[in-house]
């Protein structure tokens, strides 16, 4: 079990078919942190209001987190996203080391970061909400097709392939005129006097510098299965589930080898 100062997760979309709740729970059991930031779209209220389903594995994630909060092992900050906009009715909320907010200011390595989901700066979501809902329907259908396609690939002995990620990459240029997400967020952060911005929303993990402003994106737990992690010195890295599983397999293999040699 590896410990970090801060871990940031976003876009889990619990309640949807594409959510990787079981993988996230396995991930959370293998890492500890002083502060966990859930940066929006953790619960997918849009899908739950339509055809989504809440399952036991979704509840287990919150059971684990709230137990650690209750035991004083971790602080949890839940930032509202666009798919969990039902939280507007109770924000701001705080109970001990658990809080629900719209945004958060994080001090890291002597720098000040604005932590926000990112949908507020997305012109599609804020100015043409009907188009955002339409896009959500299309994305859900694409994930279903992706599931069937990868079941076929699995039977053929082929590795996982994210069809939805490929489609998104193909249309990125076409929609860039609507909202340059990264540029907008870094510009806002700079205007407000922050050294960096940490977000989610677009399901694309990243750590980069744009116009002297640090831009960090935690990705998602539908396709990329990634998180952001900060060590005690204020250094950030992207943790990915695939890499985590490969490391775990290697550790088990080394243990088995040592056992056989003994």
């Amino acid at each position: 079990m590896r410990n970090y100062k801060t871990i940031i997760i976003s876009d889990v979309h619990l309640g949807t078919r594409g959510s990787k709740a079981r993988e996230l729970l396995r991930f959370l059991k293998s890492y500890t942190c002083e502060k966990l930031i859930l940066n929006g779209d953790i619960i997918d209220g849009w899908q739950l209001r339509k055809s989504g389903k809440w399952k036991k594995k979704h509840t287990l994630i919150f059971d684990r987190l709230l137990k650690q909060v209750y035991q004083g092992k971790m602080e949890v900050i839940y930032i509202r996203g666009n798919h969990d906009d039902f939280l507007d009715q109770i924000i701001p909320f705080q109970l001990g080391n658990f809080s629900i907010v719209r945004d958060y200011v994080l001090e890291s390595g002597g720098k000040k970061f604005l932590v926000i989901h990112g949908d507020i700066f997305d012109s599609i979501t804020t100015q043409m909400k009907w188009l955002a809902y339409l896009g959500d329907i299309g994305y859900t259908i694409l994930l279903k097709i992706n599931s069937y396609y990868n079941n076929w690939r699995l039977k053929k002995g082929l590795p996982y392939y994210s069809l939805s990620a490929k489609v998104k990459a193909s249309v990125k240029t076409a929609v860039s005129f609507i909202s340059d997400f990264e540029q907008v967020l870094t510009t806002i952060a700079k205007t407000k006097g922050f050294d960096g911005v940490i977000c989610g929303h677009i399901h694309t993990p990243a750590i980069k510098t744009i116009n002297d402003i640090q831009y960090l994106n935690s990705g998602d737990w539908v396709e990329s299965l990634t998180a952001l992690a900060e060590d005690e010195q204020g250094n950030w890295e992207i943790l990915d589930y695939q890499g985590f599983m490969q490391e775990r397999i290697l550790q088990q293999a080394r243990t088995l080898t040592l056992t056989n040699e003994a």
Side-chain angles (χ1 to χ4, degrees):
M1 184 172 288
R2 190 172 178 182
N3 181 65
Y4 286 95
K5 183 179 180 182
T6 308
I7 291 179
I8 301 179
I9 293 168
S10 69
D11 299 274
V12 182
H13 292 277
L14 295 175
T16 68
R17 181 172 180 171
S19 178
K20 302 298 190 297
R22 189 172 287 105
E23 288 83 351
L24 177 58
L25 187 61
R26 189 178 293 127
F27 178 87
L28 291 172
K29 287 179 178 179
S30 301
Y31 291 96
T32 61
C33 60
E34 300 168 23
K35 182 178 296 184
L36 176 67
I37 300 178
L38 305 173
N39 198 5
D41 286 0
I42 305 302
I43 300 173
D44 198 316
W46 291 11
Q47 286 298 316
L48 286 173
R49 284 193 291 264
K50 294 186 292 183
S51 58
K53 293 183 180 179
W54 189 266
K55 299 182 179 180
K56 183 179 179 180
K57 59 185 178 181
H58 300 159
T59 302
L60 289 175
I61 290 175
F62 283 97
D63 282 347
R64 178 171 183 81
L65 297 182
L66 292 177
K67 183 178 180 180
Q68 290 183 294
V69 169
Y70 176 75
Q71 293 175 345
K73 296 179 179 178
M74 181 173 66
E75 178 185 7
V76 174
I77 298 160
Y78 191 140
I79 296 174
R80 171 251 198 232
N82 52 309
H83 282 257
D84 40 25
D85 53 4
F86 59 87
L87 295 173
D88 286 340
Q89 301 177 45
I90 62 172
I91 290 175
F93 173 85
Q94 183 165 4
L95 181 62
N97 282 332
F98 178 78
S99 58
I100 304 175
V101 295
R102 290 185 181 276
D103 52 58
Y104 182 73
V105 178
L106 177 68
E107 299 283 345
S108 170
K111 296 181 179 180
K112 187 170 66 171
F113 287 83
L114 170 64
V115 187
I116 193 164
H117 180 63
D119 62 292
I120 193 171
F121 304 118
D122 187 340
S123 62
I124 295 179
T125 303
T126 57
Q127 297 176 24
M128 294 180 285
K129 200 163 187 176
W130 64 270
L131 188 56
Y133 279 109
L134 186 62
D136 180 60
I137 294 172
Y139 185 58
T140 301
I141 294 173
L142 192 59
L143 286 175
K144 288 183 179 180
I145 295 173
N146 195 57
S147 177
Y148 293 131
Y149 177 58
N150 275 288
N151 284 337
W152 176 83
R153 288 179 64 87
L154 183 63
K155 291 177 182 178
K156 296 292 184 179
L158 299 172
Y160 180 84
Y161 179 81
S162 181
L163 181 63
S164 48
K166 183 68 175 179
V167 171
K168 283 202 305 179
S170 300
V171 301
K172 185 176 181 180
T173 302
V175 301
S176 62
F177 71 96
I178 298 176
S179 177
D180 189 339
F181 185 82
E182 297 175 351
Q183 288 290 341
V184 169
L185 262 68
T186 51
T187 298
I188 292 294
K190 192 170 187 176
T191 301
K192 291 182 174 291
F194 289 96
D195 300 297
V197 60
I198 303 174
C199 60
H201 188 52
I202 60 173
H203 295 206
T204 306
I207 296 178
K208 62 177 74 174
T209 300
I210 303 174
N211 297 327
D212 299 323
I213 297 294
Q214 282 190 273
Y215 170 86
L216 289 77
N217 194 305
S218 49
D220 70 287
W221 282 83
V222 177
E223 298 170 271
S224 60
L225 279 65
T226 54
L228 289 169
E230 176 202 18
D231 65 19
E232 292 296 334
Q233 289 70 46
N235 301 309
W236 288 90
E237 64 177 300
I238 296 173
L239 302 178
D240 72 281
Y241 181 77
Q242 297 298 334
F244 154 73
M245 286 302 296
Q246 289 174 4
E247 182 179 345
R248 190 172 179 177
I249 291 171
L250 288 173
Q251 287 177 343
Q252 291 173 345
R254 284 194 292 266
T255 301
L256 182 61
T257 300
L258 291 173
T259 302
N260 291 335
E261 290 177 351

